Structures are given as C-alpha cells and as structure tokens.
Amino acid sequence: MMSLRWYSTVVEAQDHRALAQWWAEALGWDVAFENDQEAAVLPPWAQDFIEILDFHRVPPGMVFVPVEHAKTAKNRLHWDFAPHTTDDRGAEIRRLIDLGARRVDVGEPEDVTWTVLADPEGNEFCVLSARDM
C-alpha cells in the first residue's frame, strides 16, 4: 500500500528569508537551507534522523517561497502550536509578540482556549492551551 509523507508546508512571503528566520526563532528550529527560490526550516533534531528514519516517518518542515504581493485575506489553513503543561503559556505568547507576532481577531468567540496570532507577514496561527502530549 502506498502512502504519502507530509513533506512540508509551503508559505508565500514577500521576504522569504526573513520569514523563515522568524519562524526558526519562534519554534527553536533551524534554517536548513536558503537560496533565492526558497528557505526551509526544520526541527533541529530532524537532520539527525533523516538518514536513519524510514521515509514516511521523517517530520515535515516549513518552506518559504518569495512572492511580490502581500497577504490580503485570512488563511484557509493555519498552524496550531501548544505549550507543554510545564511551560508558561502567557510568557510564550509574550515572547512571540516580542519577536514580531501580533494578536489578530478572526471572529473566534471570547471564551476560546486558544490565542490567534499572526507572524510578521500576517499568516495566522494559534497558541493552544497547554498540553501533556
């Protein structure tokens, strides 16, 4: 039986190198490579496992590609990130805002357990409530 591997999520950016660097900093990941056509961000441990894991078990990365136009509408796809229960969720949200994220309102109810933020180019993502797994 064939199956596909989630290889990467591709994000258009006016400054693909800067946005890749921002996400690497936000996630504690590494910019694995960059050139004029793309910049890829991977978890730091992924490079160690790429050679030893089965193809289907290698984790996905994030790839940023250059475009001339700015983002103009709400994303139809977004990332959800969660802190561990031993982490300070509020401090993590403040850290992301200090890096250049901003809070955005996408019409969510007031009593939700997540916070919607946008990266420096306006791509929405959520910081969920703390999780054990």
Side-chain angles (χ1 to χ4, degrees):
M1 173 188 196
M2 286 182 31
S3 63
L4 296 174
R5 171 180 146 202
W6 176 12
Y7 197 80
S8 62
T9 300
V10 178
V11 180
E12 294 181 344
Q14 287 184 291
D15 187 342
H16 70 289
R17 286 184 170 105
L19 196 58
Q21 186 59 50
W22 188 89
W23 276 103
E25 178 74 20
L27 297 173
W29 288 13
D30 298 321
V31 176
F33 67 88
E34 62 179 279
N35 59 35
D36 289 343
Q37 288 78 41
E38 61 186 352
V41 177
L42 296 172
W45 47 267
Q47 294 287 23
D48 297 336
F49 288 104
I50 286 174
E51 298 299 323
I52 60 174
L53 286 177
D54 172 75
F55 173 84
H56 293 92
R57 299 192 70 200
V58 174
M62 299 167 83
V63 176
F64 299 87
V65 297
V67 294
E68 293 182 17
H69 61 276
K71 181 180 169 293
T72 58
K74 179 181 170 289
N75 294 358
R76 293 189 71 182
L77 172 78
H78 70 266
W79 294 292
D80 284 346
F81 300 103
H84 189 264
T85 54
T86 60
D87 297 327
D88 182 339
R89 180 178 177 276
E92 184 59 21
I93 291 169
R94 286 189 299 279
R95 183 185 73 84
L96 292 167
I97 291 170
D98 288 346
L99 284 175
R102 64 182 179 6
R103 291 179 187 267
V104 293
D105 180 355
V106 294
E108 68 277 11
E110 289 184 30
D111 60 347
V112 298
T113 60
W114 61 86
T115 300
V116 182
L117 299 175
D119 70 18
E121 290 211 16
N123 300 295
E124 299 93 5
F125 63 97
C126 294
V127 178
L128 305 176
S129 59
R131 314 284 164 104
D132 284 322
M133 343 190 331

